[in-house]
Amino acid sequence: KAVVSTQSTGTACVVVLSNATMFEKTLPAFLKKHDPDLTKGTDCVDLCTKFFMEKARLNLFPEEEEIDIIYDYELEPRTKLPRINMCTAGHAAGMAFYNRPEEVESPPWGQKKMFGCSVSPKYGGHFAFRAVFVFKNVKDPDILFLSPHDALDSEEKKIQLLQAFNGDWKNPAWRNIVQTDLPYSEEQIEYFNRAPRDRLPILKSLLDRHNEEDKKDQ
């Protein structure tokens, strides 16, 4: 996480990301208290994120009422667009470099519509932005954005990344553009590649495995 600001108001924010350990440790802890069957139609990772972010707000800032938490899955009701561009927020926070297609000088894709992609120098593509804490009462017009480290040292690598991401984002090749000690497991990649309605079997398998491990430790 890192402190950033919204450009228009200079309001201090904290960007939160998750790495592979969220799926392997945090999510099972959440599922043990919340029956996966009761979350049908809603993504359990979203519910897990909201549960722990609200818990963090109460534990860390119990007397601060002017905090808005914006989640990565939230949309504006009228436009149906994301409430916040997480890739831009993560870039401004210095967490992950937002590689945008318009910054490629000689794009091989011509006029084809391409989407940008964030890469972390620590996690590569094996992470996700989850939320932004907005501290409405903390304002500084001179607050500085942090410069993220660009882990891709050539235009060729950026082209490789963007083509892989836009070609088939379910293929983890784009995630591996930077090596990491905390890659997503095959099970985790399969979970995120499925539609939310088809994820329940993986959640139950994950929970059963962790319950068995708990029994062995007793």
Side-chain angles (χ1 to χ4, degrees), residues 103-115:
E103 295 175 349
V104 176
E105 293 183 1
S106 302
W109 47 78
Q111 300 301 313
K112 180 182 177 181
K113 176 69 174 179
M114 301 285 281
F115 295 95

Side-chain angles (χ1 to χ4, degrees), residues 82-93:
R83 282 191 64 194
I84 189 170
N85 187 318
M86 285 291 180
C87 290
T88 300
H91 187 100

